[in-house]
Amino acid sequence: GQNIDQPTEMTATEGAIVQINCTYQTSGFNGLFWYQQHAGEAPTFLSYNVLDGLEEKGRFSSFLSRSKGYSYLLLKELQMKDSASYLCAVMDSNYQLIWGAGTKLIIKP
Amino acid sequence: DSGVTQTPKHLITATGQRVTLRCSPRSGDLSVYWYQQSLDQGLQFLIHYYNGEERAKGNILERFSAQQFPDLHSELNLSSLELGDSALYFCASSGQGDYGYTFGSGTRLTVV
């Protein structure tokens, strides 16, 4: 079966750095996505990795290791507005997105 | 504005009733996806349409049905509604060369 695992909840302090991990087992791989979702709102695209390595975009970076079925999202200089759920999703061999349950990130002052 | 339009934004209805949710994808996008998200839960994939044809089905109940019309807008029909159907329903679209999906703002359905 297809499976994506990520922690249910994480807590971090404003100004700090947090790493959200995601492991996956899917039938085929056509890229890994990270989305941000504030409560009651639509998910919004954060990053896309299809090759191994680190992709940096401002305060956010995403890393992929295809051989290990592993990715992480790194958030630096945390702000209160970063409090949200972070969804890991993998595009399978049928070009369907398989979603993790999401990681709820709580930022404390 | 993501370019994906969902109506209505909010819907309150009674158990046993039937409702229709509507989605207009971004201009040029041929794929439409429907998702259900209950409170504090993950996204549950319901169904995918591509250019009017059903492409993939997820955990969609038999009481639910969908279609995509020639103008590419899509409707999700929910019937014999139960309290447990209360959720956010998201539509997303994608096009050729896109990275991932673009989501609409969702329809919040409350069944009372």
Side-chain angles (χ1 to χ4, degrees):
Chain A
Q2 311 208 84
N3 196 49
I4 296 184
D5 286 318
Q6 49 181 134
T8 303
E9 188 174 294
M10 299 182 71
T11 302
T13 304
E14 190 176 16
I17 299 173
V18 71
Q19 177 175 311
I20 303 174
N21 295 325
C22 170
T23 58
Y24 64 88
Q25 284 182 302
T26 55
S27 53
F29 179 85
N30 282 299
L32 186 141
F33 297 79
W34 285 95
Y35 280 76
Q36 181 191 59
Q37 186 180 25
H38 286 99
E41 298 182 9
T44 54
F45 170 81
L46 283 179
S47 69
Y48 168 70
N49 294 68
V50 68
L51 300 175
D52 289 354
L54 188 68
E55 293 280 342
E56 297 186 80
K57 196 186 287 187
R59 295 188 299 115
F60 292 7
S61 303
S62 56
F63 171 83
L64 174 67
S65 168
R66 289 172 297 171
S67 62
K68 294 182 179 177
Y70 168 70
S71 173
Y72 67 72
L73 179 69
L74 191 72
L75 291 76
K76 303 176 188 175
E77 300 168 16
L78 285 169
Q79 302 174 9
M80 297 303 293
K81 68 177 182 179
D82 297 329
S83 292
S85 287
Y86 292 85
L87 310 177
C88 175
V90 172
M91 188 158 280
D92 70 7
S93 54
N94 294 318
Y95 293 93
Q96 297 288 336
L97 270 182
I98 310 301
W99 295 86
T103 298
K104 184 175 182 179
L105 178 62
I106 299 167
I107 310 295
K108 295 187 173 178
Chain B
D1 180 8
S2 69
V4 180
T5 304
Q6 288 190 249
T7 56
K9 290 196 184 309
H10 302 276
L11 198 49
I12 301 176
T13 190
T15 54
Q17 295 298 304
R18 172 189 168 96
V19 297
T20 297
L21 313 184
R22 183 188 168 101
C23 170
S24 293
R26 286 185 318 173
S27 177
D29 283 357
L30 300 180
S31 275
V32 169
Y33 309 83
W34 285 99
Y35 288 88
Q36 179 193 56
Q37 189 174 40
S38 302
L39 191 63
D40 291 334
Q41 300 294 310
L43 290 170
Q44 296 297 319
F45 170 63
L46 295 178
I47 199 161
H48 167 209
Y49 276 87
Y50 177 82
N51 202 20
E53 292 190 5
E54 182 186 303
R55 274 291 176 93
K57 237 177 186 177
N59 298 322
I60 187 166
L61 299 171
E62 284 192 14
R63 300 184 285 111
F64 296 1
S65 65
Q67 52 184 328
Q68 187 180 27
F69 294 87
D71 68 353
L72 301 178
H73 91 271
S74 179
E75 293 181 356
L76 179 67
N77 301 296
L78 316 175
S79 62
S80 303
L81 284 167
E82 302 174 0
L83 295 178
D85 297 327
S86 295
L88 265 171
Y89 290 83
F90 288 108
C91 162
S93 75
S94 70
Q96 201 140 12
D98 268 353
Y99 292 139
Y101 306 163
T102 300
F103 284 81
S105 57
T107 293
R108 181 174 294 281
L109 174 67
T110 304
V111 182
V112 297

